[in-house]
Amino acid sequence: MNTDATFAALVDDLGYAYEGVFSRETVAQAVADARELLEPRATIDEFLPVLVARQAREQLMAAAQAEGRIAKPVPEILFVCVHNAGRSQMAAALAEHLSARRVHVRSAGSKPADTVNPSVIEVLAERGIPLSQPYPKPLTDTAVRAADVIVTMGCGDACPVYPGKRYEDWTVADPADQPIEVVRDIRDDLQRRVSILLRDLLD
């Protein structure tokens, strides 16, 4: 695989998608940032361009929404925990699954880990829920500004506060180093909380 040519093509594709919204330089920077985040974690090089494209597109969309360049068709929820390896990943996956795409969901970590907790992936799969972005992502100011609702779980004051946003802090156990039975209980706790949030937002 010609890596440089592949990533240049990604910039071309995203530049076309966001023509009139962002400059090519901004698009290229988003691709470079996504590659810097994901390349050290890539176990199979062939999958890297797909993940980089997804991450860059997500960041560009968040920036476009935060800056009012693109209207948001549905409410935006951001789930945040420390490592983005457990609670926030589960909450985001559950919200996406339960909302039937009536909300847009992101997750992030104040100190992202290298990988998602395998037990989290397992207990979600038991419910037929795949992780759409199975890698920890850093918390960015852009993601917070793009969100309508920010749900934090154990990350203290790491999340910036903006007026006009709805903030919730959920006391949810950390699945790290827990047996699978406990992780299932955490999943079920999160599902109850996410269901209540979605009913409040969408009903």
Side-chain angles (χ1 to χ4, degrees):
M1 180 175 66
N2 186 331
T3 304
D4 290 340
T6 298
F7 286 105
L10 286 183
V11 173
D12 289 340
D13 291 348
L14 288 171
Y16 177 82
Y18 284 93
E19 186 175 0
V21 179
F22 291 117
S23 67
R24 181 181 173 83
E25 290 74 21
T26 299
V27 171
Q29 187 60 55
V31 171
D33 291 345
R35 184 177 179 182
E36 182 180 358
L37 171 67
L38 296 170
E39 196 163 31
R41 309 175 187 187
T43 54
I44 302 176
D45 288 343
E46 286 77 8
F47 293 159
L48 181 61
V50 175
L51 296 175
V52 167
R54 185 184 297 168
Q55 175 68 14
R57 186 180 294 275
E58 186 72 13
Q59 290 305 305
L60 288 166
M61 179 60 73
Q65 292 173 341
E67 296 168 16
R69 296 170 183 257
I70 294 178
K72 287 191 287 187
V74 295
E76 179 95 21
I77 307 173
L78 173 65
F79 293 99
V80 185
C81 65
V82 177
H83 300 302
N84 192 219
R87 290 166 290 184
S88 57
Q89 289 277 356
M90 274 197 286
L94 286 163
E96 190 170 79
H97 178 71
L98 295 170
S99 70
R101 300 190 181 277
R102 289 180 293 163
V103 298
H104 186 263
V105 182
R106 293 186 175 96
S107 71
S110 53
K111 296 178 181 177
D114 291 330
T115 58
V116 173
N117 183 336
S119 294
V120 166
I121 297 173
E122 181 178 345
V123 300
L124 287 172
E126 290 173 357
R127 294 285 178 84
I129 304 172
L131 278 178
S132 61
Q133 294 188 346
Y135 53 87
K137 298 167 287 296
L139 176 64
T140 64
D141 185 72
T142 298
V144 176
R145 289 190 293 117
D148 299 297
V149 180
I150 298 99
V151 178
T152 57
M153 291 169 275
C155 53
D157 297 328
C159 191
V161 176
Y162 289 101
K165 307 290 184 185
R166 173 176 169 179
Y167 290 84
E168 295 193 10
D169 186 52
W170 292 355
T171 303
V172 178
D174 189 344
D177 302 319
Q178 297 289 351
I180 193 71
E181 295 80 8
V182 174
V183 181
R184 289 191 183 107
D185 289 341
I186 295 169
R187 174 201 61 198
D188 295 344
D189 180 21
L190 282 167
Q191 179 160 339
R192 285 190 292 271
R193 294 170 184 268
V194 166
S195 297
I196 292 169
L197 176 62
L198 290 175
R199 280 197 295 269
D200 188 36
L201 285 176
L202 299 174
D203 289 350

